[in-house]
Amino acid sequence: MPPRTRRACLLSTVVELLPKQPTTKGPAELFTGDVYFDVIIRGGEPSRVRVNTVRFCPGARTAWHTHALGQTLHVTDGVGLVQARGGEVIVIRPGDVVYTPPGEWHWHGATPDQFMIHTAIWGGPAAGAETEWGEHVSDAEYGYPD
């Protein structure tokens, strides 16, 4: 089979460069400390996939929350903490992938002395809320494990 020409490749491929969304500061009702996120994709039917890059300043963290279809986090920089309700606090580092199943209450954020950046991936359900938010993580709940 002869090699495809550049023109043939361009004519048979559909590529769309999406506009970059502005960086958003996480609202104080949902986060403790300074958290910033960039929406990478908010897919519509049929995928409904959601992907955000989230940057946590030292000591910043989410409130307790749960996702209707679960959530996967991929840590890309810094050192963070994650905890499922009733579980132990786990230290997470670049390259770590954390999965929380549907309906599991959890929180995640940066350690007290380092930034943490992760890519958050979750799905939007066909009906109902994607995320249910609870109370803020108390200082007693937050911190390095012993």
Side-chain angles (χ1 to χ4, degrees):
M1 177 148 80
R4 296 173 66 180
T5 66
R6 177 172 166 74
R7 179 182 165 110
C9 289
L10 291 176
L11 292 175
S12 65
T13 304
V14 176
V15 174
E16 182 181 359
L17 181 61
L18 300 174
K20 183 177 180 338
Q21 301 296 312
T23 298
T24 302
K25 186 172 189 331
E29 309 84 66
L30 307 180
F31 299 94
T32 298
D34 292 328
V35 177
Y36 298 88
F37 61 92
D38 291 298
V39 174
I40 304 302
I41 188 77
R42 183 174 173 82
E45 293 294 335
S47 77
R48 296 189 310 268
V49 67
R50 279 53 167 141
V51 180
N52 287 355
T53 297
V54 188
R55 296 167 183 83
F56 294 84
C57 291
R61 56 199 182 261
T62 68
W64 286 102
H65 63 286
T66 183
H67 299 276
L69 300 177
Q71 181 184 52
T72 300
L73 307 174
H74 176 248
V75 182
T76 58
D77 196 18
V79 181
L81 304 169
V82 63
Q83 181 184 30
R85 195 177 297 276
E88 61 186 73
V89 175
I90 299 169
V91 177
I92 52 178
R93 293 181 172 82
D96 287 344
V97 176
V98 178
Y99 174 70
T100 54
E104 180 172 73
W105 285 92
H106 66 285
W107 65 270
H108 37 97
T111 60
D113 58 352
Q114 295 195 43
F115 288 83
M116 191 269 292
I117 302 171
H118 67 50
T119 302
I121 307 158
W122 72 102
E130 295 176 14
T131 306
E132 182 180 347
W133 290 92
E135 71 278 6
H136 282 274
V137 174
S138 70
D139 289 340
E141 293 168 312
Y142 170 77
Y144 281 114
D146 293 329

